[in-house]
Amino acid sequence: MAEHKERHILHLPAKEAKLFIDSFDTVLLDCDGVLWTVFEQIEGAGAALQLFREHGKRVKFITNNSVRPFASYQQQLHALGVDVKEADIIHPARSIVQYLKAQQFEGFIYCLGTENFKATLRQAGFQLIDGPAQPLPESFHQIIATVHDGAPVGAVVVDIDFNANYPKLMRAEMYLKRSVDCLLIAGASDKTIHVRDGCEIIGPGCFVAILEQAVGRRAVLLGKPGYHLRAGVVQEYGLEQPARTLLVGDMLEQDMAFGSLCGFQKLLVLSGGTTKAQMLQATNTLQEPDYYADSLADFVRLFERINDL
């Protein structure tokens, strides 16, 4: 097993801890598992965000969760003492809108996603097709007649869809196979979604993988750790010196791998979907963090230490 280099931030000597804090100007934070769980805030997260700003750090947010509308993020972050604009939060629905506009996309989009996700695309002026949502007769003849509709779809977009079903996937496959020019775009790539300790559910990445295998091509991934997302984040936030950005996340495959792709410093918090044992057992060097912490609350203690220098 490869030797791991990650270090707990509270184990850094005082002077090295100050060098670490001085080594980044921007903090780019994941939300779920870092700031809150599905059910509650993570203790100390709000205090850490305030300290980042008090020490001159620019704070931005990046999440694979487009289920929440912006108003929900705004409310949650306000409760943590942070006021944000829409431009402060990058999520897949927003990134997909920007990508489609850059591609000057015109036409219909077939979308597997939540109502909030689809609303973001519609508000940007795109025309969407979705469904079928209702149960269909258990007959191949009738199902194929429903899903093989001949609609002029130019893009299939897949994200979290709590009502995903077999006919929806079949319909997506039909559109993609009918034309090699039909785009396959993915939002969240998570194969599993961490809800709380002992509870993980299947994620949309599994459905994306099914479609990729069925049609023989890779999706354009606009959630973490997507290559196409990297350029948008670096450009939008002006991160000309990527190493002076600290990415904070709770997932190895999504957050740490994305940080490696971007050239950011990477810090894993153990308050979400990854345990210390999983971190130490990781064999993909791209997924290894540079630092780790039990939660954002450890930054409160870290700042107290460097203030005494």
Side-chain angles (χ1 to χ4, degrees), residues 28-34 62-64 189-190 224-225 247-262 264-269 273-274 286-289:
L28 190 58
L29 298 112
D30 181 36
C31 297
D32 298 296
V34 176
I62 184 166
T63 175
N64 271 6
S189 65
D190 309 53
K224 296 173 293 180
L247 177 73
V248 180
D250 70 310
M251 301 297 290
L252 298 174
E253 185 177 353
Q254 282 73 40
D255 300 316
M256 298 302 103
F258 183 67
S260 295
L261 181 66
C262 296
F264 299 152
Q265 296 189 61
K266 301 163 292 177
L267 184 141
L268 181 78
V269 290
T274 303
L286 294 178
Q287 296 180 12
E288 291 182 13

PDB file of all heavy atoms in Angstrom, residues 28-34 62-64 189-190 224-225 247-262 264-269 273-274 286-289:
ATOM      1  N   LEU A  28     -12.548  27.033  -1.053  1.00  0.00           N
ATOM      2  CA  LEU A  28     -13.651  26.527  -1.867  1.00  0.00           C
ATOM      3  C   LEU A  28     -14.223  25.320  -1.137  1.00  0.00           C
ATOM      4  O   LEU A  28     -13.570  24.282  -1.020  1.00  0.00           O
ATOM      5  CB  LEU A  28     -13.126  26.145  -3.247  1.00  0.00           C
ATOM      6  CG  LEU A  28     -14.130  25.805  -4.347  1.00  0.00           C
ATOM      7  CD1 LEU A  28     -15.092  26.963  -4.599  1.00  0.00           C
ATOM      8  CD2 LEU A  28     -13.399  25.440  -5.630  1.00  0.00           C
ATOM      9  N   LEU A  29     -15.446  25.477  -0.617  1.00  0.00           N
ATOM     10  CA  LEU A  29     -16.003  24.462   0.270  1.00  0.00           C
ATOM     11  C   LEU A  29     -17.160  23.703  -0.352  1.00  0.00           C
ATOM     12  O   LEU A  29     -18.067  24.308  -0.942  1.00  0.00           O
ATOM     13  CB  LEU A  29     -16.509  25.104   1.564  1.00  0.00           C
ATOM     14  CG  LEU A  29     -15.471  25.808   2.432  1.00  0.00           C
ATOM     15  CD1 LEU A  29     -15.728  27.303   2.438  1.00  0.00           C
ATOM     16  CD2 LEU A  29     -15.509  25.272   3.859  1.00  0.00           C
ATOM     17  N   ASP A  30     -17.120  22.382  -0.209  1.00  0.00           N
ATOM     18  CA  ASP A  30     -18.305  21.575  -0.454  1.00  0.00           C
ATOM     19  C   ASP A  30     -19.305  21.905   0.658  1.00  0.00           C
ATOM     20  O   ASP A  30     -18.946  22.512   1.673  1.00  0.00           O
ATOM     21  CB  ASP A  30     -17.916  20.096  -0.427  1.00  0.00           C
ATOM     22  CG  ASP A  30     -19.086  19.178  -0.706  1.00  0.00           C
ATOM     23  OD1 ASP A  30     -19.951  19.546  -1.527  1.00  0.00           O
ATOM     24  OD2 ASP A  30     -19.149  18.096  -0.103  1.00  0.00           O
ATOM     25  N   CYS A  31     -20.563  21.514   0.494  1.00  0.00           N
ATOM     26  CA  CYS A  31     -21.593  21.867   1.475  1.00  0.00           C
ATOM     27  C   CYS A  31     -22.059  20.660   2.286  1.00  0.00           C
ATOM     28  O   CYS A  31     -21.861  20.603   3.490  1.00  0.00           O
ATOM     29  CB  CYS A  31     -22.780  22.529   0.771  1.00  0.00           C
ATOM     30  SG  CYS A  31     -22.356  24.096  -0.041  1.00  0.00           S
ATOM     31  N   ASP A  32     -22.682  19.675   1.624  1.00  0.00           N
ATOM     32  CA  ASP A  32     -23.191  18.505   2.335  1.00  0.00           C
ATOM     33  C   ASP A  32     -22.035  17.700   2.914  1.00  0.00           C
ATOM     34  O   ASP A  32     -21.103  17.328   2.208  1.00  0.00           O
ATOM     35  CB  ASP A  32     -24.011  17.619   1.384  1.00  0.00           C
ATOM     36  CG  ASP A  32     -25.224  18.353   0.831  1.00  0.00           C
ATOM     37  OD1 ASP A  32     -26.106  18.706   1.626  1.00  0.00           O
ATOM     38  OD2 ASP A  32     -25.267  18.593  -0.392  1.00  0.00           O
ATOM     39  N   GLY A  33     -22.112  17.443   4.205  1.00  0.00           N
ATOM     40  CA  GLY A  33     -21.050  16.708   4.875  1.00  0.00           C
ATOM     41  C   GLY A  33     -19.929  17.581   5.376  1.00  0.00           C
ATOM     42  O   GLY A  33     -19.074  17.128   6.144  1.00  0.00           O
ATOM     43  N   VAL A  34     -19.905  18.847   4.950  1.00  0.00           N
ATOM     44  CA  VAL A  34     -18.882  19.802   5.384  1.00  0.00           C
ATOM     45  C   VAL A  34     -19.512  20.883   6.264  1.00  0.00           C
ATOM     46  O   VAL A  34     -19.021  21.179   7.363  1.00  0.00           O
ATOM     47  CB  VAL A  34     -18.187  20.449   4.167  1.00  0.00           C
ATOM     48  CG1 VAL A  34     -17.182  21.508   4.615  1.00  0.00           C
ATOM     49  CG2 VAL A  34     -17.493  19.380   3.334  1.00  0.00           C
ATOM     50  N   ILE A  62     -18.879  24.999  -3.575  1.00  0.00           N
ATOM     51  CA  ILE A  62     -19.066  24.153  -4.747  1.00  0.00           C
ATOM     52  C   ILE A  62     -19.690  22.846  -4.286  1.00  0.00           C
ATOM     53  O   ILE A  62     -19.188  22.200  -3.368  1.00  0.00           O
ATOM     54  CB  ILE A  62     -17.740  23.926  -5.496  1.00  0.00           C
ATOM     55  CG1 ILE A  62     -17.981  23.117  -6.771  1.00  0.00           C
ATOM     56  CG2 ILE A  62     -16.671  23.292  -4.609  1.00  0.00           C
ATOM     57  CD1 ILE A  62     -16.792  23.151  -7.729  1.00  0.00           C
ATOM     58  N   THR A  63     -20.803  22.467  -4.894  1.00  0.00           N
ATOM     59  CA  THR A  63     -21.556  21.305  -4.450  1.00  0.00           C
ATOM     60  C   THR A  63     -22.042  20.505  -5.649  1.00  0.00           C
ATOM     61  O   THR A  63     -22.233  21.061  -6.731  1.00  0.00           O
ATOM     62  CB  THR A  63     -22.756  21.746  -3.587  1.00  0.00           C
ATOM     63  OG1 THR A  63     -23.555  20.601  -3.256  1.00  0.00           O
ATOM     64  CG2 THR A  63     -23.631  22.760  -4.320  1.00  0.00           C
ATOM     65  N   ASN A  64     -22.240  19.211  -5.442  1.00  0.00           N
ATOM     66  CA  ASN A  64     -22.846  18.375  -6.475  1.00  0.00           C
ATOM     67  C   ASN A  64     -24.356  18.283  -6.297  1.00  0.00           C
ATOM     68  O   ASN A  64     -25.019  17.537  -7.012  1.00  0.00           O
ATOM     69  CB  ASN A  64     -22.247  16.961  -6.442  1.00  0.00           C
ATOM     70  CG  ASN A  64     -21.017  16.833  -7.325  1.00  0.00           C
ATOM     71  OD1 ASN A  64     -20.537  17.820  -7.889  1.00  0.00           O
ATOM     72  ND2 ASN A  64     -20.496  15.625  -7.453  1.00  0.00           N
ATOM     73  N   SER A 189     -22.048  13.141 -10.077  1.00  0.00           N
ATOM     74  CA  SER A 189     -21.492  11.858 -10.511  1.00  0.00           C
ATOM     75  C   SER A 189     -21.440  10.840  -9.389  1.00  0.00           C
ATOM     76  O   SER A 189     -20.969   9.717  -9.583  1.00  0.00           O
ATOM     77  CB  SER A 189     -20.065  12.072 -11.030  1.00  0.00           C
ATOM     78  OG  SER A 189     -19.226  12.500  -9.959  1.00  0.00           O
ATOM     79  N   ASP A 190     -21.922  11.205  -8.216  1.00  0.00           N
ATOM     80  CA  ASP A 190     -21.801  10.369  -7.032  1.00  0.00           C
ATOM     81  C   ASP A 190     -22.470   9.007  -7.239  1.00  0.00           C
ATOM     82  O   ASP A 190     -23.656   8.944  -7.591  1.00  0.00           O
ATOM     83  CB  ASP A 190     -22.437  11.050  -5.820  1.00  0.00           C
ATOM     84  CG  ASP A 190     -21.946  12.489  -5.633  1.00  0.00           C
ATOM     85  OD1 ASP A 190     -22.031  13.267  -6.593  1.00  0.00           O
ATOM     86  OD2 ASP A 190     -21.510  12.814  -4.524  1.00  0.00           O
ATOM     87  N   LYS A 224     -18.523  17.713  -9.786  1.00  0.00           N
ATOM     88  CA  LYS A 224     -17.213  17.210  -9.371  1.00  0.00           C
ATOM     89  C   LYS A 224     -17.145  15.703  -9.593  1.00  0.00           C
ATOM     90  O   LYS A 224     -18.127  15.017  -9.331  1.00  0.00           O
ATOM     91  CB  LYS A 224     -16.992  17.522  -7.879  1.00  0.00           C
ATOM     92  CG  LYS A 224     -16.931  18.999  -7.550  1.00  0.00           C
ATOM     93  CD  LYS A 224     -16.895  19.229  -6.042  1.00  0.00           C
ATOM     94  CE  LYS A 224     -18.205  18.820  -5.386  1.00  0.00           C
ATOM     95  NZ  LYS A 224     -18.218  19.022  -3.914  1.00  0.00           N
ATOM     96  N   PRO A 225     -16.049  15.129 -10.101  1.00  0.00           N
ATOM     97  CA  PRO A 225     -14.772  15.763 -10.419  1.00  0.00           C
ATOM     98  C   PRO A 225     -14.595  16.026 -11.923  1.00  0.00           C
ATOM     99  O   PRO A 225     -13.535  15.710 -12.497  1.00  0.00           O
ATOM    100  CB  PRO A 225     -13.775  14.709  -9.956  1.00  0.00           C
ATOM    101  CG  PRO A 225     -14.461  13.401 -10.294  1.00  0.00           C
ATOM    102  CD  PRO A 225     -15.943  13.655 -10.126  1.00  0.00           C
ATOM    103  N   LEU A 247      -9.316  23.536  -1.285  1.00  0.00           N
ATOM    104  CA  LEU A 247     -10.598  22.867  -1.483  1.00  0.00           C
ATOM    105  C   LEU A 247     -10.886  22.015  -0.260  1.00  0.00           C
ATOM    106  O   LEU A 247     -10.075  21.172   0.131  1.00  0.00           O
ATOM    107  CB  LEU A 247     -10.557  21.985  -2.731  1.00  0.00           C
ATOM    108  CG  LEU A 247     -11.843  21.189  -2.988  1.00  0.00           C
ATOM    109  CD1 LEU A 247     -12.937  22.117  -3.489  1.00  0.00           C
ATOM    110  CD2 LEU A 247     -11.621  20.062  -3.972  1.00  0.00           C
ATOM    111  N   VAL A 248     -12.059  22.221   0.337  1.00  0.00           N
ATOM    112  CA  VAL A 248     -12.466  21.466   1.518  1.00  0.00           C
ATOM    113  C   VAL A 248     -13.675  20.614   1.149  1.00  0.00           C
ATOM    114  O   VAL A 248     -14.694  21.134   0.694  1.00  0.00           O
ATOM    115  CB  VAL A 248     -12.833  22.399   2.692  1.00  0.00           C
ATOM    116  CG1 VAL A 248     -13.245  21.577   3.915  1.00  0.00           C
ATOM    117  CG2 VAL A 248     -11.668  23.317   3.034  1.00  0.00           C
ATOM    118  N   GLY A 249     -13.564  19.298   1.325  1.00  0.00           N
ATOM    119  CA  GLY A 249     -14.670  18.406   0.990  1.00  0.00           C
ATOM    120  C   GLY A 249     -14.667  17.180   1.875  1.00  0.00           C
ATOM    121  O   GLY A 249     -13.741  16.971   2.674  1.00  0.00           O
ATOM    122  N   ASP A 250     -15.700  16.353   1.706  1.00  0.00           N
ATOM    123  CA  ASP A 250     -15.830  15.151   2.539  1.00  0.00           C
ATOM    124  C   ASP A 250     -15.771  13.861   1.737  1.00  0.00           C
ATOM    125  O   ASP A 250     -15.884  12.776   2.319  1.00  0.00           O
ATOM    126  CB  ASP A 250     -17.138  15.197   3.340  1.00  0.00           C
ATOM    127  CG  ASP A 250     -18.365  15.018   2.457  1.00  0.00           C
ATOM    128  OD1 ASP A 250     -18.470  15.732   1.429  1.00  0.00           O
ATOM    129  OD2 ASP A 250     -19.218  14.172   2.786  1.00  0.00           O
ATOM    130  N   MET A 251     -15.598  13.953   0.412  1.00  0.00           N
ATOM    131  CA  MET A 251     -15.598  12.762  -0.435  1.00  0.00           C
ATOM    132  C   MET A 251     -14.276  12.642  -1.186  1.00  0.00           C
ATOM    133  O   MET A 251     -13.767  13.640  -1.713  1.00  0.00           O
ATOM    134  CB  MET A 251     -16.761  12.812  -1.425  1.00  0.00           C
ATOM    135  CG  MET A 251     -18.141  12.892  -0.773  1.00  0.00           C
ATOM    136  SD  MET A 251     -18.539  11.432   0.226  1.00  0.00           S
ATOM    137  CE  MET A 251     -18.753  10.196  -1.066  1.00  0.00           C
ATOM    138  N   LEU A 252     -13.751  11.429  -1.259  1.00  0.00           N
ATOM    139  CA  LEU A 252     -12.487  11.208  -1.957  1.00  0.00           C
ATOM    140  C   LEU A 252     -12.661  11.292  -3.470  1.00  0.00           C
ATOM    141  O   LEU A 252     -11.921  12.011  -4.153  1.00  0.00           O
ATOM    142  CB  LEU A 252     -11.916   9.836  -1.581  1.00  0.00           C
ATOM    143  CG  LEU A 252     -11.577   9.617  -0.103  1.00  0.00           C
ATOM    144  CD1 LEU A 252     -11.153   8.165   0.129  1.00  0.00           C
ATOM    145  CD2 LEU A 252     -10.477  10.565   0.352  1.00  0.00           C
ATOM    146  N   GLU A 253     -13.639  10.561  -3.999  1.00  0.00           N
ATOM    147  CA  GLU A 253     -13.795  10.457  -5.451  1.00  0.00           C
ATOM    148  C   GLU A 253     -14.255  11.758  -6.073  1.00  0.00           C
ATOM    149  O   GLU A 253     -13.816  12.110  -7.177  1.00  0.00           O
ATOM    150  CB  GLU A 253     -14.792   9.345  -5.789  1.00  0.00           C
ATOM    151  CG  GLU A 253     -14.928   9.093  -7.290  1.00  0.00           C
ATOM    152  CD  GLU A 253     -15.863   7.940  -7.614  1.00  0.00           C
ATOM    153  OE1 GLU A 253     -16.310   7.247  -6.693  1.00  0.00           O
ATOM    154  OE2 GLU A 253     -16.132   7.731  -8.816  1.00  0.00           O
ATOM    155  N   GLN A 254     -15.131  12.485  -5.409  1.00  0.00           N
ATOM    156  CA  GLN A 254     -15.636  13.732  -5.974  1.00  0.00           C
ATOM    157  C   GLN A 254     -14.748  14.923  -5.611  1.00  0.00           C
ATOM    158  O   GLN A 254     -14.222  15.608  -6.479  1.00  0.00           O
ATOM    159  CB  GLN A 254     -17.079  13.999  -5.503  1.00  0.00           C
ATOM    160  CG  GLN A 254     -18.126  13.194  -6.227  1.00  0.00           C
ATOM    161  CD  GLN A 254     -18.117  11.728  -5.822  1.00  0.00           C
ATOM    162  OE1 GLN A 254     -17.957  11.396  -4.660  1.00  0.00           O
ATOM    163  NE2 GLN A 254     -18.293  10.848  -6.803  1.00  0.00           N
ATOM    164  N   ASP A 255     -14.553  15.170  -4.314  1.00  0.00           N
ATOM    165  CA  ASP A 255     -13.880  16.392  -3.877  1.00  0.00           C
ATOM    166  C   ASP A 255     -12.359  16.348  -4.044  1.00  0.00           C
ATOM    167  O   ASP A 255     -11.766  17.243  -4.650  1.00  0.00           O
ATOM    168  CB  ASP A 255     -14.236  16.682  -2.411  1.00  0.00           C
ATOM    169  CG  ASP A 255     -15.721  16.865  -2.210  1.00  0.00           C
ATOM    170  OD1 ASP A 255     -16.353  17.555  -3.025  1.00  0.00           O
ATOM    171  OD2 ASP A 255     -16.267  16.316  -1.236  1.00  0.00           O
ATOM    172  N   MET A 256     -11.725  15.323  -3.482  1.00  0.00           N
ATOM    173  CA  MET A 256     -10.262  15.280  -3.527  1.00  0.00           C
ATOM    174  C   MET A 256      -9.758  15.097  -4.963  1.00  0.00           C
ATOM    175  O   MET A 256      -8.775  15.724  -5.372  1.00  0.00           O
ATOM    176  CB  MET A 256      -9.724  14.172  -2.621  1.00  0.00           C
ATOM    177  CG  MET A 256     -10.076  14.354  -1.135  1.00  0.00           C
ATOM    178  SD  MET A 256      -9.495  15.917  -0.389  1.00  0.00           S
ATOM    179  CE  MET A 256     -11.026  16.870  -0.336  1.00  0.00           C
ATOM    180  N   ALA A 257     -10.441  14.258  -5.739  1.00  0.00           N
ATOM    181  CA  ALA A 257     -10.022  14.067  -7.133  1.00  0.00           C
ATOM    182  C   ALA A 257     -10.181  15.360  -7.926  1.00  0.00           C
ATOM    183  O   ALA A 257      -9.342  15.694  -8.767  1.00  0.00           O
ATOM    184  CB  ALA A 257     -10.827  12.944  -7.779  1.00  0.00           C
ATOM    185  N   PHE A 258     -11.261  16.104  -7.656  1.00  0.00           N
ATOM    186  CA  PHE A 258     -11.454  17.374  -8.355  1.00  0.00           C
ATOM    187  C   PHE A 258     -10.366  18.366  -7.959  1.00  0.00           C
ATOM    188  O   PHE A 258      -9.839  19.097  -8.817  1.00  0.00           O
ATOM    189  CB  PHE A 258     -12.832  17.949  -8.039  1.00  0.00           C
ATOM    190  CG  PHE A 258     -13.138  19.228  -8.780  1.00  0.00           C
ATOM    191  CD1 PHE A 258     -13.290  19.225 -10.153  1.00  0.00           C
ATOM    192  CD2 PHE A 258     -13.263  20.428  -8.106  1.00  0.00           C
ATOM    193  CE1 PHE A 258     -13.564  20.396 -10.848  1.00  0.00           C
ATOM    194  CE2 PHE A 258     -13.543  21.606  -8.782  1.00  0.00           C
ATOM    195  CZ  PHE A 258     -13.690  21.592 -10.163  1.00  0.00           C
ATOM    196  N   GLY A 259     -10.018  18.395  -6.673  1.00  0.00           N
ATOM    197  CA  GLY A 259      -8.933  19.275  -6.233  1.00  0.00           C
ATOM    198  C   GLY A 259      -7.630  18.956  -6.923  1.00  0.00           C
ATOM    199  O   GLY A 259      -6.879  19.856  -7.317  1.00  0.00           O
ATOM    200  N   SER A 260      -7.338  17.667  -7.102  1.00  0.00           N
ATOM    201  CA  SER A 260      -6.117  17.263  -7.806  1.00  0.00           C
ATOM    202  C   SER A 260      -6.149  17.716  -9.256  1.00  0.00           C
ATOM    203  O   SER A 260      -5.155  18.212  -9.796  1.00  0.00           O
ATOM    204  CB  SER A 260      -5.946  15.743  -7.743  1.00  0.00           C
ATOM    205  OG  SER A 260      -5.749  15.295  -6.427  1.00  0.00           O
ATOM    206  N   LEU A 261      -7.310  17.557  -9.890  1.00  0.00           N
ATOM    207  CA  LEU A 261      -7.466  17.957 -11.288  1.00  0.00           C
ATOM    208  C   LEU A 261      -7.215  19.457 -11.471  1.00  0.00           C
ATOM    209  O   LEU A 261      -6.627  19.885 -12.471  1.00  0.00           O
ATOM    210  CB  LEU A 261      -8.887  17.613 -11.756  1.00  0.00           C
ATOM    211  CG  LEU A 261      -9.252  17.930 -13.203  1.00  0.00           C
ATOM    212  CD1 LEU A 261      -8.433  17.071 -14.161  1.00  0.00           C
ATOM    213  CD2 LEU A 261     -10.739  17.712 -13.436  1.00  0.00           C
ATOM    214  N   CYS A 262      -7.620  20.229 -10.472  1.00  0.00           N
ATOM    215  CA  CYS A 262      -7.495  21.686 -10.564  1.00  0.00           C
ATOM    216  C   CYS A 262      -6.156  22.208 -10.069  1.00  0.00           C
ATOM    217  O   CYS A 262      -5.816  23.370 -10.313  1.00  0.00           O
ATOM    218  CB  CYS A 262      -8.612  22.362  -9.759  1.00  0.00           C
ATOM    219  SG  CYS A 262     -10.284  22.053 -10.379  1.00  0.00           S
ATOM    220  N   PHE A 264      -5.481  22.390  -6.793  1.00  0.00           N
ATOM    221  CA  PHE A 264      -5.743  23.043  -5.512  1.00  0.00           C
ATOM    222  C   PHE A 264      -5.056  22.273  -4.378  1.00  0.00           C
ATOM    223  O   PHE A 264      -4.737  21.088  -4.505  1.00  0.00           O
ATOM    224  CB  PHE A 264      -7.249  23.064  -5.206  1.00  0.00           C
ATOM    225  CG  PHE A 264      -8.088  23.817  -6.206  1.00  0.00           C
ATOM    226  CD1 PHE A 264      -9.414  23.456  -6.408  1.00  0.00           C
ATOM    227  CD2 PHE A 264      -7.575  24.886  -6.936  1.00  0.00           C
ATOM    228  CE1 PHE A 264     -10.205  24.135  -7.310  1.00  0.00           C
ATOM    229  CE2 PHE A 264      -8.353  25.575  -7.846  1.00  0.00           C
ATOM    230  CZ  PHE A 264      -9.682  25.199  -8.041  1.00  0.00           C
ATOM    231  N   GLN A 265      -4.874  22.943  -3.254  1.00  0.00           N
ATOM    232  CA  GLN A 265      -4.594  22.224  -2.018  1.00  0.00           C
ATOM    233  C   GLN A 265      -5.896  21.552  -1.579  1.00  0.00           C
ATOM    234  O   GLN A 265      -6.970  22.085  -1.797  1.00  0.00           O
ATOM    235  CB  GLN A 265      -4.103  23.180  -0.933  1.00  0.00           C
ATOM    236  CG  GLN A 265      -2.784  23.851  -1.238  1.00  0.00           C
ATOM    237  CD  GLN A 265      -2.258  24.622  -0.031  1.00  0.00           C
ATOM    238  OE1 GLN A 265      -1.995  24.051   1.026  1.00  0.00           O
ATOM    239  NE2 GLN A 265      -2.120  25.934  -0.177  1.00  0.00           N
ATOM    240  N   LYS A 266      -5.777  20.378  -0.940  1.00  0.00           N
ATOM    241  CA  LYS A 266      -6.972  19.593  -0.642  1.00  0.00           C
ATOM    242  C   LYS A 266      -7.019  19.238   0.843  1.00  0.00           C
ATOM    243  O   LYS A 266      -6.031  18.742   1.396  1.00  0.00           O
ATOM    244  CB  LYS A 266      -6.970  18.299  -1.463  1.00  0.00           C
ATOM    245  CG  LYS A 266      -6.924  18.501  -2.970  1.00  0.00           C
ATOM    246  CD  LYS A 266      -6.510  17.221  -3.674  1.00  0.00           C
ATOM    247  CE  LYS A 266      -5.071  16.888  -3.355  1.00  0.00           C
ATOM    248  NZ  LYS A 266      -4.633  15.608  -3.964  1.00  0.00           N
ATOM    249  N   LEU A 267      -8.181  19.473   1.429  1.00  0.00           N
ATOM    250  CA  LEU A 267      -8.396  19.099   2.817  1.00  0.00           C
ATOM    251  C   LEU A 267      -9.680  18.287   2.931  1.00  0.00           C
ATOM    252  O   LEU A 267     -10.736  18.725   2.476  1.00  0.00           O
ATOM    253  CB  LEU A 267      -8.472  20.333   3.726  1.00  0.00           C
ATOM    254  CG  LEU A 267      -8.597  20.025   5.219  1.00  0.00           C
ATOM    255  CD1 LEU A 267      -7.765  21.010   6.046  1.00  0.00           C
ATOM    256  CD2 LEU A 267     -10.050  20.072   5.703  1.00  0.00           C
ATOM    257  N   LEU A 268      -9.578  17.108   3.527  1.00  0.00           N
ATOM    258  CA  LEU A 268     -10.724  16.231   3.732  1.00  0.00           C
ATOM    259  C   LEU A 268     -11.236  16.385   5.156  1.00  0.00           C
ATOM    260  O   LEU A 268     -10.452  16.312   6.114  1.00  0.00           O
ATOM    261  CB  LEU A 268     -10.331  14.770   3.495  1.00  0.00           C
ATOM    262  CG  LEU A 268     -11.454  13.745   3.664  1.00  0.00           C
ATOM    263  CD1 LEU A 268     -12.358  13.739   2.434  1.00  0.00           C
ATOM    264  CD2 LEU A 268     -10.868  12.347   3.897  1.00  0.00           C
ATOM    265  N   VAL A 269     -12.530  16.613   5.317  1.00  0.00           N
ATOM    266  CA  VAL A 269     -13.139  16.579   6.645  1.00  0.00           C
ATOM    267  C   VAL A 269     -13.822  15.228   6.815  1.00  0.00           C
ATOM    268  O   VAL A 269     -14.406  14.687   5.875  1.00  0.00           O
ATOM    269  CB  VAL A 269     -14.136  17.737   6.862  1.00  0.00           C
ATOM    270  CG1 VAL A 269     -13.417  19.068   6.975  1.00  0.00           C
ATOM    271  CG2 VAL A 269     -15.178  17.792   5.749  1.00  0.00           C
ATOM    272  N   GLY A 273     -19.034  11.851   4.299  1.00  0.00           N
ATOM    273  CA  GLY A 273     -19.148  10.527   3.695  1.00  0.00           C
ATOM    274  C   GLY A 273     -17.902   9.678   3.700  1.00  0.00           C
ATOM    275  O   GLY A 273     -17.908   8.579   3.136  1.00  0.00           O
ATOM    276  N   THR A 274     -16.802  10.138   4.308  1.00  0.00           N
ATOM    277  CA  THR A 274     -15.560   9.365   4.295  1.00  0.00           C
ATOM    278  C   THR A 274     -15.026   9.208   5.709  1.00  0.00           C
ATOM    279  O   THR A 274     -14.958  10.182   6.465  1.00  0.00           O
ATOM    280  CB  THR A 274     -14.487  10.062   3.435  1.00  0.00           C
ATOM    281  OG1 THR A 274     -14.990  10.257   2.112  1.00  0.00           O
ATOM    282  CG2 THR A 274     -13.208   9.234   3.357  1.00  0.00           C
ATOM    283  N   LEU A 286      -4.736  10.466  -6.773  1.00  0.00           N
ATOM    284  CA  LEU A 286      -5.499  11.674  -7.075  1.00  0.00           C
ATOM    285  C   LEU A 286      -6.550  11.954  -6.004  1.00  0.00           C
ATOM    286  O   LEU A 286      -6.995  13.097  -5.838  1.00  0.00           O
ATOM    287  CB  LEU A 286      -6.182  11.553  -8.439  1.00  0.00           C
ATOM    288  CG  LEU A 286      -5.278  11.489  -9.663  1.00  0.00           C
ATOM    289  CD1 LEU A 286      -6.116  11.310 -10.920  1.00  0.00           C
ATOM    290  CD2 LEU A 286      -4.425  12.749  -9.773  1.00  0.00           C
ATOM    291  N   GLN A 287      -6.950  10.915  -5.280  1.00  0.00           N
ATOM    292  CA  GLN A 287      -7.984  11.061  -4.264  1.00  0.00           C
ATOM    293  C   GLN A 287      -7.420  11.306  -2.867  1.00  0.00           C
ATOM    294  O   GLN A 287      -8.177  11.457  -1.908  1.00  0.00           O
ATOM    295  CB  GLN A 287      -8.879   9.820  -4.252  1.00  0.00           C
ATOM    296  CG  GLN A 287      -9.649   9.614  -5.548  1.00  0.00           C
ATOM    297  CD  GLN A 287     -10.523   8.379  -5.527  1.00  0.00           C
ATOM    298  OE1 GLN A 287     -10.747   7.776  -4.481  1.00  0.00           O
ATOM    299  NE2 GLN A 287     -11.019   7.980  -6.690  1.00  0.00           N
ATOM    300  N   GLU A 288      -6.110  11.355  -2.739  1.00  0.00           N
ATOM    301  CA  GLU A 288      -5.501  11.572  -1.426  1.00  0.00           C
ATOM    302  C   GLU A 288      -5.518  13.048  -1.066  1.00  0.00           C
ATOM    303  O   GLU A 288      -5.102  13.891  -1.865  1.00  0.00           O
ATOM    304  CB  GLU A 288      -4.061  11.065  -1.412  1.00  0.00           C
ATOM    305  CG  GLU A 288      -3.923   9.567  -1.487  1.00  0.00           C
ATOM    306  CD  GLU A 288      -2.475   9.133  -1.420  1.00  0.00           C
ATOM    307  OE1 GLU A 288      -1.620   9.977  -1.069  1.00  0.00           O
ATOM    308  OE2 GLU A 288      -2.187   7.964  -1.724  1.00  0.00           O
ATOM    309  N   PRO A 289      -5.988  13.383   0.128  1.00  0.00           N
ATOM    310  CA  PRO A 289      -5.925  14.788   0.560  1.00  0.00           C
ATOM    311  C   PRO A 289      -4.506  15.167   0.982  1.00  0.00           C
ATOM    312  O   PRO A 289      -3.671  14.296   1.261  1.00  0.00           O
ATOM    313  CB  PRO A 289      -6.873  14.820   1.761  1.00  0.00           C
ATOM    314  CG  PRO A 289      -6.829  13.431   2.306  1.00  0.00           C
ATOM    315  CD  PRO A 289      -6.628  12.516   1.125  1.00  0.00           C
TER     316      PRO A 289
END
